Amino acid sequence: MMKRIGYARVSTSAQDADRQVADLLAAGVRRDDLYTDRGASGARASRPEFDRALTALEKGDTLVVTTLDRLGRSKANMLSLAVELRGRDINLNVLNLGGGTVDTATPMGGMTFTVMAALAQMELDIKRERITDSVSKRRAAGRDLGGRRAQFTDSQVRNARRLIDGGQPGTQVAKDLGMSRATLYRRMAEIQAREWIGLQAGVVSEGIPRRSGMMP
């Protein structure tokens, strides 16, 4: 039987999650399927109840949150999570997104997330372009660039995912690769998000009829 798993979060223990809980219950989430983190910032890498909620989700289930920012502070991370859930055949239901409800199980909800993902990717591309321009200028000026180069290629991360899909423990695969488990799963989600965005963009463009007289 498909379940609706609810998740609520407040950033400090002094805040009240009652409103979120009430909205989730009203949306059809059973109290036994509701997880709440208190005193947990969206920027934290580990949120115990959120991790439990993700573990409880199975194929065909739906993760329900009141607002998208309950999943985290970074738009890129939130959208990567949405794509990761879709890869597991799990739907995401946001009760208040832009003043309305969005459910990725519906065509309109899926389209909304496609557009959001594309905008988030565009924002990342703009930031990356600015960083590249800054690095080029600093290099031309002979200044210390600082920081570290990326140590792992997308190909390495994809190979790691194949090992995990084949049944090897994620913790051991990450250790053999020389990175933390959290970093490996973040990189896998980022790659999957980019691939899904590209696929959806292609589907959308193919589905839009061209009007006569318009440039091809």
Side-chain angles (χ1 to χ4, degrees), residues 107-127:
M108 184 59 69
M111 177 63 70
T112 298
F113 265 88
T114 298
V115 173
M116 290 177 59
L119 291 174
Q121 184 63 44
M122 182 177 67
E123 182 179 348
L124 289 175
D125 289 342
I126 291 173
K127 289 181 179 179

Side-chain angles (χ1 to χ4, degrees), residues 5-210:
I5 303 294
Y7 175 69
R9 176 179 61 79
V10 288
S11 298
T12 67
S13 56
Q15 291 178 310
D16 195 340
D18 289 351
R19 176 60 183 274
Q20 293 181 56
V21 170
D23 289 344
L24 292 171
L25 293 175
V29 176
R30 296 174 60 251
R31 191 171 290 275
D32 290 344
D33 293 327
L34 201 156
Y35 300 82
T36 305
D37 274 315
R38 292 180 172 81
S41 167
R44 283 181 50 180
S46 176
R47 289 167 284 166
E49 291 302 302
F50 183 62
D51 292 341
R52 289 185 60 202
L54 292 182
T55 300
L57 287 163
E58 299 177 349
K59 183 178 180 178
D61 289 348
T62 299
L63 175 63
V64 187
V65 293
T66 55
T67 55
L68 191 60
D69 63 354
R70 294 306 85 192
L71 300 179
R73 294 298 185 189
S74 164
K75 285 186 292 184
N77 288 342
M78 287 185 280
L79 290 168
S80 292
L81 174 62
V83 173
E84 181 180 350
L85 291 175
R86 178 170 293 226
R88 293 171 55 189
D89 289 327
I90 295 170
N91 300 311
L92 176 63
N93 187 189
V94 184
L95 300 182
N96 187 358
L97 185 61
T101 298
V102 171
D103 189 341
T104 59
T106 66
M108 184 59 69
M111 177 63 70
T112 298
F113 265 88
T114 298
V115 173
M116 290 177 59
L119 291 174
Q121 184 63 44
M122 182 177 67
E123 182 179 348
L124 289 175
D125 289 342
I126 291 173
K127 289 181 179 179
R128 188 178 297 112
E129 183 178 352
R130 289 174 178 170
I131 292 173
T132 301
D133 182 60
S134 176
V135 169
S136 298
K137 290 179 178 178
R138 292 177 67 86
R139 181 177 287 116
R143 298 176 183 173
D144 180 19
L145 300 178
R148 296 183 301 174
R149 294 183 178 180
Q151 298 180 9
F152 307 99
T153 65
D154 287 355
S155 178
Q156 289 175 303
V157 176
R158 289 191 182 95
N159 288 335
R161 186 182 188 96
R162 293 191 190 97
L163 293 175
I164 294 173
D165 290 342
Q168 295 196 32
T171 301
Q172 186 59 50
V173 173
K175 182 178 180 181
D176 292 342
L177 192 58
M179 67 168 69
S180 69
R181 181 178 180 275
T183 299
L184 175 58
Y185 276 81
R186 175 178 58 79
R187 287 289 303 276
M188 289 193 302
E190 289 173 352
I191 292 172
Q192 187 175 2
R194 293 200 306 269
E195 293 174 345
W196 184 79
I197 290 169
L199 177 62
Q200 293 301 310
V203 171
V204 171
S205 63
E206 290 178 3
I208 298 177
R210 294 180 178 176

